Amino acid sequence: MKLILKSFAEITIKSRPVRRQFMRQLGKNIRTVLRDLDPDVKVIGEWDNLELFTAIEDPAQLQELYARLRCTPGISHFFQVLEYPLGDFDQIVQHCKAHYADLLKGRVFSVRCKRAGKHPFSSMDVERYVGSQLRQQCGAAGIDLRNPDVEVRFEIRHDKLFIEYERHQGIGGYPLGTVEQALVLMSGGFDSTVAAYQMMRRGLLTHFCFFNLGGRAHELGVKEVAHYLWKKYGSSHRVLFISVPFEEVLGDILENVDDSHMGVVLKRMMLKAADVIAEDLQLDTLVTGEAISQVASQTLTNLAVIDKATDKLVLRPLITEHKQDIIRTAVEIGTAEFAENMPEYCGVISVSPKTKAKLGRVVHEETRLDPSILQRAIERTSMVTMDKVLNELGKDLQVEHLNQALPGQIVIDIRHPDQAEEQPLILDGIEQLTVPFYAINSRFKEFDPNRQYLLYCDQGMMSKLHAHHLLHEGYANVRVYRPDPVQRPRASSHA
């Protein structure tokens, strides 16, 4: 079977050497992506399109091949073709009729012809003749060039005729490996996953950098969505998943920085760590999913202060995007379901965030932090190639949820201290502790191993993540407390 693959339109306006380089890279990427499906797949051509030849006949395998091509950056669209020697106009009509006759009955259609080479006729001459004959011979309802029900497409190249069918839309963009590499700060939510996709679609190799605030379960969740993105859109290249343990850093900020500046300081600490990691990997660019004024730390003033934490170029592909548009894109690319179940830790750290932070004040607040904590987090950073991430996924531990606490059990409120104080959890006859989420993993070893502990937060996501982490660490005496709605304090949108 033969497929014609059309490149992204912007590639066609590149200079001849650059165009050839991009098309060669695209061909190489396609062969890599399809290697396990068809080791003998052939991809040839290096100008405005590629020709792909495969021996696959199994319908399920063909659908998988189409799915991979639709998600390969650099491909605008592709289609199957039937190849014939070029004859006269009547022979072109007969070839088109053989394939399109049943589709045209009672429907309006158009004819689209592309032509390459020297011929005594124009593309429009062919379109007019073929269109009039198909209308008469196939019982079509008429011709509509603007809104046809069916498009009859074919190409004339020198002495060959190619009838097009089963057209598939690609994602466009530049082939991976034709542009520089970047480090994407990945939280696993809507914004960061869409930002990573946008960079991959633009041809950048994106390494994923995750700042862990929720233990092993949080890391596994972000690894899962990062692996999904890589597997679907970027598996032609090996990239890294980088995890930075940031709970201690967050704890240091929450204990020592003024409430109104916590969000900006946290973002700056992340950029400082990412700067060091990127330098080690010889990367010059950092990418975030921030959009103007989506949250308090993302005003233009605050973003300017945040950027001064690094000398690297910081790209924000979603900077002017509306949240609903970001969510819509996440649904289209398949990351929305992951994002809906990912906690937003950064949003819970400040009650009254500053929208116009001053650099001098922010730097002063940072002098209260212990620099060895950030350094320790950077030194404990772990890296794994994305093709190895799958080994860790699926090895999940089940966390037990209880909707009622019993005498003798201890409920630990892991919400932000300000939230726990403003909306206290009141349980008659049940012992309670307040240990914020950023400290629970380090402090749990101090607790009585013979007691049962139930972790609580408003929505249950953070408590589940931290309970999962503690179970993985070998603590069998931890559960999640999920009371009935009437028993809960007023719910927060962040916990």
Side-chain angles (χ1 to χ4, degrees):
M1 184 182 68
K2 178 178 179 178
L3 300 178
I4 300 294
L5 289 74
K6 294 292 186 178
S7 65
F8 181 50
E10 288 184 26
I11 297 177
T12 64
I13 62 175
K14 300 291 183 184
S15 66
R16 184 177 295 269
V18 173
R19 188 170 177 177
R20 183 175 292 111
Q21 173 201 345
F22 275 41
M23 294 303 288
R24 285 177 176 173
Q25 183 66 60
L26 178 56
K28 180 180 178 181
N29 293 352
I30 292 169
R31 285 187 287 270
T32 301
V33 168
L34 300 181
R35 185 181 298 145
D36 63 323
L37 279 178
D38 182 1
D40 299 318
V41 65
K42 293 182 180 179
V43 183
I44 60 175
E46 56 179 37
W47 192 234
D48 62 340
N49 58 256
L50 299 175
E51 297 180 1
L52 184 151
F53 299 88
T54 178
I56 294 177
E57 297 180 354
D58 179 73
Q61 285 190 312
L62 281 176
Q63 290 305 312
E64 176 63 21
L65 181 145
Y66 299 154
R68 295 186 188 186
L69 292 177
R70 284 194 294 266
C71 296
T72 299
I75 298 176
S76 172
H77 60 272
F78 63 94
F79 47 85
Q80 294 183 43
V81 293
L82 299 172
E83 182 178 335
Y84 302 98
L86 178 61
D88 59 23
F89 282 10
D90 287 325
Q91 289 174 310
I92 295 175
V93 170
Q94 292 308 309
H95 290 314
C96 290
K97 181 179 176 182
H99 185 72
Y100 282 99
D102 292 340
L103 298 175
L104 297 182
K105 289 181 180 178
R107 307 175 80 181
V108 295
F109 72 100
S110 67
V111 176
R112 312 291 190 195
C113 171
K114 290 186 177 181
R115 190 175 56 85
K118 294 183 179 181
H119 304 93
F121 52 82
S122 68
S123 297
M124 189 173 293
D125 293 335
V126 184
E127 291 174 349
R128 287 174 176 170
Y129 187 86
V130 173
S132 65
Q133 292 300 311
L134 290 179
R135 182 180 182 182
Q136 296 174 31
Q137 299 180 31
C138 299
I143 295 176
D144 187 339
L145 300 182
R146 293 187 176 181
N147 297 296
D149 298 324
V150 179
E151 288 187 341
V152 176
R153 291 180 174 271
F154 56 89
E155 292 190 18
I156 295 173
R157 291 194 205 162
H158 306 289
D159 59 349
K160 298 289 186 181
L161 171 68
F162 299 92
I163 304 294
E164 171 188 331
Y165 66 104
E166 282 204 36
R167 185 185 182 95
H168 300 264
Q169 192 65 36
I171 63 172
Y174 291 154
L176 280 174
T178 55
V179 190
E180 294 89 342
Q181 303 185 38
L183 188 66
V184 178
L185 278 60
M186 171 71 72
S187 70
F190 291 102
D191 301 340
S192 64
T193 56
V194 173
Y197 164 76
Q198 297 284 33
M199 302 309 291
M200 295 167 70
R201 186 168 175 254
R202 199 61 184 173
L204 282 85
L205 295 185
T206 57
H207 302 275
F208 303 93
C209 184
F210 165 60
F211 292 91
N212 193 346
L213 304 176
R216 175 177 170 80
H218 192 195
E219 180 177 315
L220 287 177
V222 178
K223 277 183 175 178
E224 187 174 17
V225 67
H227 183 271
Y228 168 86
L229 273 173
W230 170 79
K231 185 66 176 176
K232 189 167 184 178
Y233 301 104
S235 61
S236 59
H237 291 74
R238 297 180 73 185
V239 296
L240 295 170
F241 183 91
I242 300 154
S243 182
V244 188
F246 233 57
E247 285 177 308
E248 269 193 284
V249 176
L250 178 58
D252 195 22
I253 292 172
L254 290 172
E255 291 174 4
N256 297 297
V257 172
D258 176 74
D259 175 270
S260 62
H261 290 81
M262 288 179 178
V264 171
V265 171
L266 177 60
K267 295 286 183 67
R268 281 172 56 89
M269 292 300 105
M270 288 179 174
L271 281 191
K272 287 183 178 183
D275 183 289
V276 175
I277 294 166
E279 190 66 24
D280 290 343
L281 296 174
Q282 298 183 330
L283 305 177
D284 297 322
T285 306
L286 307 178
V287 179
T288 79
E290 292 157 317
I292 295 174
S293 296
Q294 190 181 109
V295 296
S297 65
Q298 295 176 17
T299 63
L300 290 178
T301 301
N302 286 350
L303 290 176
V305 171
I306 290 168
D307 280 0
K308 286 182 171 59
T310 176
D311 292 329
K312 302 290 184 185
L313 172 65
V314 180
L315 296 180
R316 296 180 172 91
L318 309 183
I319 192 67
T320 61
E321 293 284 332
H322 300 303
K323 187 68 175 184
Q324 193 54 48
D325 294 332
I326 296 171
I327 293 174
R328 187 180 302 113
T329 302
V331 171
E332 292 173 356
I333 65 176
T335 61
E337 188 174 348
F338 296 98
E340 288 168 354
N341 295 294
M342 205 69 65
E344 290 289 349
Y345 278 89
C346 294
V348 303
I349 69 169
S350 183
V351 176
S352 303
K354 197 81 169 176
T355 58
K356 293 187 176 181
K358 302 295 185 183
L359 179 61
R361 173 63 186 277
V362 171
V363 172
H364 172 72
E365 291 294 331
E366 291 176 357
T367 63
R368 302 177 179 179
L369 301 176
D370 182 351
S372 68
I373 294 178
L374 178 62
Q375 182 60 34
R376 186 158 58 246
I378 295 172
E379 291 172 352
R380 292 168 56 200
T381 294
S382 62
M383 300 184 186
V384 61
T385 56
M386 288 305 304
D387 56 314
K388 304 297 184 184
V389 163
L390 197 61
N391 296 334
E392 298 187 38
L393 302 179
K395 300 178 180 179
D396 200 7
L397 295 174
Q398 296 301 312
V399 178
E400 184 178 353
H401 291 68
L402 303 178
N403 58 18
Q404 184 176 2
L406 302 175
Q409 295 176 328
I410 300 174
V411 174
I412 304 178
D413 190 338
I414 69 168
R415 294 176 297 169
H416 187 284
D418 291 338
Q419 187 183 8
E421 182 178 350
E422 292 175 5
Q423 302 167 5
L425 178 66
I426 301 174
L427 299 172
D428 294 333
I430 301 298
E431 187 176 348
Q432 292 179 238
L433 295 173
T434 299
V435 182
F437 62 89
Y438 57 84
I440 185 64
N441 291 336
S442 60
R443 286 190 53 189
F444 201 84
K445 60 180 177 292
E446 303 170 6
F447 300 153
D448 186 347
N450 297 313
R451 302 289 299 274
Q452 288 286 327
Y453 296 92
L454 312 183
L455 305 190
Y456 170 78
C457 69
D458 282 337
Q459 302 301 322
M461 180 56 69
M462 285 187 181
S463 53
K464 177 182 177 182
L465 292 176
H466 288 280
H468 182 286
H469 177 77
L470 292 168
L471 286 169
H472 185 266
E473 292 295 304
Y475 298 102
N477 58 334
V478 61
R479 306 288 186 273
V480 168
Y481 176 52
R482 292 286 290 145
D484 295 329
V486 294
Q487 298 176 289
R488 300 177 195 167
R490 181 180 298 175
S492 164
S493 62
H494 296 299

